[in-house]
């Protein structure tokens, strides 16, 4: 069987292994995806005489603030899990990645309560342009959190067996997954003030 | 990443985390302050967000210490991002028209 080159060691010309180049290309496309929606938000906002169109938005700032702290903390724990692997500390990886997973779950539970309260009060994406873009942006971001949670859970659970056979490749997987997770955090850092505070 | 770089990064992760927490508190605090102008409030809010974004991308994503191809890739992305971001506004201002 022919082995795929550069899936562990970096290619000399680029200094990158395959997955790292791949994730950065993917993140570049993600910038365009969220960029398009942020552009839509700006356009809706500057085109509206009053923002939000229906008067003051009914958003839960304390819950969103907790979620902001939560995601930032998870960004730190995931980078710590990668560092732990770099230092051959598998137990440390399990602990830090476990905390990352917990933070992701807490984020989703809080988001569930936020959405439920809105739907309960008869607030839907169709209510006005503000809620339309609010649900679109936070919903898409929430899907990204779910995606990250699935991948990180795989690395923490069934995927961890690769550590025994190919430790360097497994460490790279965690780095790549971490880069994606930091991007999810980065998007929220802009979503939080844009939608909740400004 | 070399082991020397790894040690350097390790020493600053906790500091970055604390800075991000402080800036989050600041983000919420300034939103309750009346700057007298919504434009100024947006400008300050987004400036703090950009600083936080820089801290995450620069340190957690190691962009302050990355290889050149990544910088080129991201530079290209920024160019296309601005085109995408401002195209609808140019359209709205009738600076872009379709024959």
């Amino acid at each position: 069987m022919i082995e795929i080159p550069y899936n562990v060691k970096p290619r000399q010309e680029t200094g990158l292994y395959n997955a790292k180049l791949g994730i950065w290309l993917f993140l570049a496309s993600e910038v365009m995806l969220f960029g398009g929606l942020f552009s839509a938000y700006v356009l809706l906002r500057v085109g509206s005489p009053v923002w939000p169109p229906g008067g003051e938005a009914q958003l839960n700032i304390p819950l969103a603030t907790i979620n902001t702290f939560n995601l930032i903390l998870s960004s730190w724990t995931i980078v710590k899990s990668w560092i732990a692997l770099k230092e051959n500390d598998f137990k440390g990886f399990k602990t830090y990645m476990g905390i990352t997973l917990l933070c992701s779950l807490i984020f989703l539970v809080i988001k569930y309560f936020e959405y439920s309260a809105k739907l309960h009060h008869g607030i839907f994406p169709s209510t006005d342009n503000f809620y339309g873009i609010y649900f679109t942006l936070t919903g898409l971001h929430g899907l990204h959190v779910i995606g990250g949670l699935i991948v990180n859970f795989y690395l923490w659970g069934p995927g961890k067996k690769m550590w025994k056979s190919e430790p360097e490749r497994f460490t790279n997987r965690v780095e790549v997954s971490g880069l994606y997770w930091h991007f999810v955090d980065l998007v929220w850092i802009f979503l939080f003030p844009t939608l909740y505070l400004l | 990443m070399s082991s020397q770089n790894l040690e350097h990064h390790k020493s600053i992760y906790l500091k970055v985390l604390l800075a991000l927490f402080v800036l989050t508190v600041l983000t919420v605090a300034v939103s309750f302050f009346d700057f007298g102008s919504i434009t100024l409030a947006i400008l300050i809010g987004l400036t703090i967000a950009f600083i936080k974004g820089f801290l995450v991308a620069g340190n957690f994503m190691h962009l302050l210490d990355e290889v050149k191809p990544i910088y080129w890739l991201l530079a290209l992305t920024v160019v296309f991002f601005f085109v995408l971001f401002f195209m609808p506004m140019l359209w709205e201002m009738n600076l872009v028209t379709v024959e």
Side-chain angles (χ1 to χ4, degrees):
Chain A
M1 198 169 67
I2 302 168
E3 207 166 291
I4 300 169
Y6 312 115
N7 68 357
V8 177
K9 295 289 177 202
R11 191 186 173 106
Q12 204 178 357
E13 296 88 338
T14 59
L16 297 163
Y17 56 89
N18 296 342
K20 193 159 175 184
L21 179 62
I23 195 71
W24 275 111
L25 284 168
F26 174 68
L27 292 183
S29 76
E30 291 280 90
V31 169
M32 300 308 280
L33 174 64
F34 280 100
L37 287 170
F38 268 109
S39 178
Y41 167 84
V42 173
L43 201 64
L44 288 172
R45 184 161 182 163
V46 298
S48 171
V50 185
W51 190 259
E56 201 167 325
Q58 291 179 39
L59 299 180
N60 195 321
I61 294 173
L63 280 185
T65 307
I66 292 170
N67 255 352
T68 307
F69 281 115
N70 187 30
L71 267 196
I72 289 171
L73 178 68
S74 72
S75 239
W76 180 73
T77 53
I78 203 165
V79 86
K80 289 289 283 181
S81 75
W82 172 70
I83 288 285
L85 288 180
K86 281 273 185 191
E87 295 177 330
N88 273 320
D89 173 15
F90 190 71
K91 212 177 156 192
F93 158 76
K94 285 285 283 182
T95 306
Y96 282 116
M97 189 56 106
I99 299 170
T100 308
L101 290 170
L102 194 66
C103 289
S104 323
L105 275 175
I106 292 170
F107 183 92
L108 289 172
V109 169
I110 288 178
K111 209 76 219 148
Y112 166 78
F113 282 120
E114 271 195 80
Y115 274 12
S116 303
K118 271 170 204 65
L119 299 179
H120 183 72
H121 288 106
I123 297 169
F124 300 99
S126 57
T127 300
D128 62 30
N129 278 344
F130 173 77
Y131 287 111
I133 198 74
Y134 164 82
F135 277 108
T136 307
L137 276 166
T138 56
L140 185 67
H141 179 265
L143 285 176
H144 279 74
V145 173
I146 294 170
L149 178 66
I150 293 169
V151 173
N152 289 335
F153 178 75
Y154 173 77
L155 293 172
W156 181 80
K160 71 172 189 260
K161 62 177 180 281
M162 183 187 261
W163 173 250
K164 283 187 179 151
S165 55
E166 296 175 273
E168 267 190 277
R169 194 173 169 197
F170 182 71
T171 308
N172 287 350
R173 280 190 171 184
V174 173
E175 182 185 19
V176 164
S177 180
L179 284 170
Y180 169 81
W181 192 252
H182 298 312
F183 178 79
V184 171
D185 179 29
L186 206 58
V187 170
W188 183 258
I189 281 172
F190 285 95
L191 280 186
F192 173 53
T194 308
L195 293 174
Y196 289 83
L197 303 175
L198 299 173
Chain B
M1 189 183 289
S2 68
S3 58
Q4 200 183 359
N5 282 347
L6 194 67
E7 284 305 314
H8 167 70
H9 282 296
K10 265 176 68 181
S11 67
I12 55 172
Y13 286 143
L14 192 61
K15 289 177 195 160
V16 171
L17 175 73
L18 295 176
L20 287 168
F21 279 171
V22 171
L23 286 169
T24 301
V25 173
L26 194 66
T27 307
V28 179
V30 297
S31 74
F32 290 105
F33 189 80
D34 184 12
F35 290 99
S37 148
I38 185 70
T39 312
L40 187 61
I42 291 172
L43 201 68
I44 291 169
L46 286 184
T47 303
I48 299 171
F50 270 103
I51 295 170
K52 286 170 74 180
F54 176 80
L55 287 174
V56 170
N59 297 289
F60 289 166
M61 298 172 92
H62 306 132
L63 274 185
L64 289 172
D65 182 30
E66 223 3 301
V67 291
K68 268 190 184 164
I70 298 290
Y71 292 143
W72 282 111
L73 171 68
L74 290 179
L76 198 64
T77 309
V78 169
V79 171
F80 282 121
F81 173 79
F82 276 105
V83 172
L84 179 76
F85 201 82
F86 289 109
M87 186 65 85
M89 271 166 269
L90 295 175
W91 189 292
E92 190 71 7
M93 291 179 330
N94 287 325
L95 294 175
V96 179
T97 53
V98 178
E99 293 299 322

